[in-house]
Amino acid sequence: MTTLTVTTTPAASAPADWLVIGVAQTPDGPVPATEATTDEAVGGELSALLTAFGATGVPGEALRLPGPAGIPGAPVLAVGLGPAPADRDGYGAETLRRAAGEAARTLAGADRIALALPARTVEAVEAVALGALLGSYTFTAYRTTRPTPPVREATVLVDGGLRAVAEAAVRRARTVAEEVNRARDLVNTPANDLYPESFAAAVATAGREHGLAVQVLDEHALAAGGYGGILGVGQGSVRPPRLVRIAHTHPRATTTLAFVGKGITYDSGGISLKPVGANEIMKRDMSGAAAVLAAVLAAARLDLAVNVTGWLALAENMPSGSALRPGDVLRMYGGRTVEVLNTDAEGRLVLADALVRAAEEQPDALVDVATLTAATRFGLGDHVFAVMGDDTFRDRVLAAARDAGERAWPMPLPEELRGSLDSRVADIANYGARMGGGLVAGLFLREFVPAGTPWAHLDIAGPAFNEGRPHGHTPSGGTGCAVRTLVRLAAGAAAGEPSAVATPADGTEDR
């Protein structure tokens, strides 16, 4: 990973191979969005170069410029920040994260770059640092040729008054970036190498490294415990399923959060086989479990004063002579029965078992994360994830996503759709109305959450895996979606934010 440092050296004299500046859009054209003295120090040459080379300042733009005479030895990379903000606090954190990520990707192979972006607060410094580290990510485990290496060292330029707090901000950014990139690595690993047993082993290794308690239930323990959903989904594969628990506990914690992740290491659809063209990226179907693991590890490494327990429901959904069939009935953990009408609606089955088990420990709030439905992807696209649940806690999760710079949108749980899950032979069916299918999936999961428990469901089917070109700090392939949101939620709970795990004012759920 790129080495990150902080300096108070003025941008015009910072030693680097490249100087990265921001470009603001104004009615009078593009202007440098960096230290006010920088352009003055070089006689206004930066502004002149931006105009001469056709810079616009639009977000995502990365334009290489020759270095002005007053900046010795360093060419300039100008990255667009969008319209100049009217607010004196400057650009928002996510704008800075994306710009720094764009710069780091564009300058891959450089030895040293200086990031002279307008980071005027400690939050902005952390955003620039995190964006640069996330933008430097590459997945090379299966490359036999040497790819272009990431930037070796990135230096964030800060005001002298921020130096002390900036160092701590960079350390936080490094921790979060390493865990987001851990999730990305897991998502990008092909299913012939990442399957339930090997995934569980990776969790155990990470747990030992960071001193966390890890418990792994294999297929025999799952059978003895009555985990019919996880076992049913995994019964068609030669790779048996696992349920993994990893926990961060803190001596000063007063709040406990439980995160549950869907970990389908490969999803063929089972007997309800996916159509041609829908299978190629199905190694990504464990993105929720990867996000949960990374968030628990980040909470521990940041020493957040909150208890966070992660539950990874791991299975491979395959067609075979032993596979789950449409029409089969499963007895789930806790005793409820589910008629399986569609074996490609398997994620909700493994999550249901894990939700019931997680709720037995009576956490203050419960969050599940899953690449659950194509319907949500159709509705929100590939850059926004859905959040469902009881209104109060759902809104807290949405606020955490906003604070973390991840795009999320509230979705309802319409009661009129619940009837479509009624089964003729079991307590509930795993598949209902096709229209609003993402909401129906949320309604199914709600059935396995105890009344009164604050709960949110994150459907990350769209943004968990980027099939297109990289952009900002987002690579192609696994993105690490939801890690930052979960970490922000845990940090809020640790800080005692009153709405972090609040229940509705009258003590009831919005059901």
Side-chain angles (χ1 to χ4, degrees), residues 143-218:
R143 299 282 185 187
T144 57
T145 57
R146 182 176 179 141
T148 302
V151 170
R152 185 184 66 82
E153 181 179 347
T155 300
V156 182
L157 276 58
V158 301
D159 181 82
L162 287 176
R163 179 61 184 261
V165 291
E167 297 280 3
V170 167
R171 287 194 296 272
R172 288 194 299 272
R174 175 168 290 280
T175 296
V176 174
E178 287 175 350
E179 293 308 328
V180 171
N181 288 343
R182 183 197 301 271
R184 291 171 169 179
D185 282 348
L186 287 166
V187 175
N188 287 327
T189 300
N192 59 318
D193 282 341
L194 189 76
Y195 43 90
E197 184 179 7
S198 63
F199 198 162
V203 179
T205 298
R208 284 193 299 271
E209 179 183 354
H210 297 289
L212 303 185
V214 176
Q215 179 188 21
V216 178
L217 300 185
D218 63 13

Side-chain angles (χ1 to χ4, degrees), residues 139 142 184-200 237-240 263-268 279-286 315-318 465:
F139 184 67
Y142 294 86
R184 291 171 169 179
D185 282 348
L186 287 166
V187 175
N188 287 327
T189 300
N192 59 318
D193 282 341
L194 189 76
Y195 43 90
E197 184 179 7
S198 63
F199 198 162
S237 172
V238 296
R239 308 283 198 183
I264 302 300
T265 56
Y266 184 78
D267 182 20
S268 69
N279 282 292
E280 287 77 4
I281 63 168
M282 280 301 109
K283 65 179 183 178
R284 75 179 183 122
D285 217 17
M286 36 59 65
E316 188 175 64
N317 187 25
M318 297 292 286
F465 196 89

Side-chain angles (χ1 to χ4, degrees), residues 44-123:
E45 284 190 53
L46 281 176
S47 293
L49 284 170
L50 291 175
T51 300
F53 280 79
T56 65
V58 66
E61 180 180 68
L63 187 63
R64 289 179 169 89
L65 306 174
I71 301 179
V76 171
L77 183 74
V79 291
L81 297 174
D87 193 316
R88 62 178 294 177
D89 290 336
Y91 285 95
E94 183 59 11
T95 296
L96 295 175
R97 273 189 288 266
R98 292 177 183 174
E102 195 76 41
R105 283 194 304 101
T106 301
L107 297 177
D111 188 60
R112 187 175 183 186
I113 67 173
L115 295 160
L117 297 172
R120 300 169 185 166
T121 65
V122 65
E123 292 80 13

